Amino acid sequence: MEFPLVKPSPTIIEELRQAALAVRRQAYAPYSNFLVGAAILAGSGKLFVGCNVENASYGLTICAERNAIAAMIAAGERKIQAIAVACHGAGSPCGACRQVMAEFGEDYGVFLIDADSGEIAAELTLEELLPHRFRWER
Ligand code: THU
């Protein structure tokens, strides 16, 4: 695992881990019962969180990662420095979330948290998760 950008300090990584686990408990997932929490370290150093929000019309579900990104954007921030995602089995972000994550940073750390143990199970980078991603040259 390579960190081309500055890796957050152990203190910040710990804050991300705890924030992702805490917001996961707010997830609205009555259909899948699969709770996901995401915590973003934004450009300013502030943390933003999101959880998955499901819907009776299943396709309207929004993932935790994209909800955290929406909170970051609504606060006026545009840069992701790192993200932590907490769920059972330390699953990694879906393809749609990866592309949205790529909108706000070229490369950064993605910390996958196993919600059962509460521990960081994997440290990846966005580049590892989504190489050759779609870019639109304006
Ligand atoms: N989910 C996320 O929140 N993030 C992902 O990256 C993948 C899946 C949610 C959506 C749905 O509420 C539940 O997990 C099961 O798919």
Side-chain angles (χ1 to χ4, degrees), residues 19 22 24 26 36 43 50 55 62 65 83 89-90 120-121 134:
R24 176 181 172 271
Q26 310 295 345
V36 186
N55 191 272
I62 309 177
E65 297 90 327
I83 185 168
I120 295 172
F134 175 72

Side-chain angles (χ1 to χ4, degrees), residues 28-29 32 34 36 51-54 61-65 92-94 97:
Y28 177 74
S32 71
F34 192 80
V36 186
C51 57
N52 53 330
V53 179
E54 298 188 342
T61 291
I62 309 177
C63 295
E65 297 90 327
S92 66
C94 77
C97 285

Side-chain angles (χ1 to χ4, degrees), residues 6-121:
V6 179
K7 185 175 172 177
S9 70
T11 308
I12 300 285
I13 293 172
E14 176 58 13
E15 284 180 19
L16 282 170
R17 186 186 73 84
Q18 289 187 18
L21 285 166
V23 71
R24 176 181 172 271
R25 289 194 280 274
Q26 310 295 345
Y28 177 74
Y31 304 103
S32 71
N33 284 317
F34 192 80
L35 313 182
V36 186
I40 290 172
L41 174 67
S44 69
K46 286 187 190 160
L47 263 52
F48 294 92
V49 296
C51 57
N52 53 330
V53 179
E54 298 188 342
N55 191 272
S57 178
Y58 295 174
L60 299 181
T61 291
I62 309 177
C63 295
E65 297 90 327
R66 277 177 287 151
N67 277 329
I69 289 169
M72 181 193 87
I73 294 300
E77 304 243 15
R78 295 289 185 268
K79 187 110 192 122
I80 299 176
Q81 292 199 63
I83 185 168
V85 181
C87 63
H88 171 70
S92 66
C94 77
C97 285
R98 292 178 194 199
Q99 183 70 38
V100 176
M101 286 161 59
E103 185 77 14
F104 304 106
E106 281 299 307
D107 201 11
Y108 51 80
V110 180
F111 298 85
L112 305 183
I113 319 291
D114 176 0
D116 301 313
S117 69
E119 298 303 320
I120 295 172

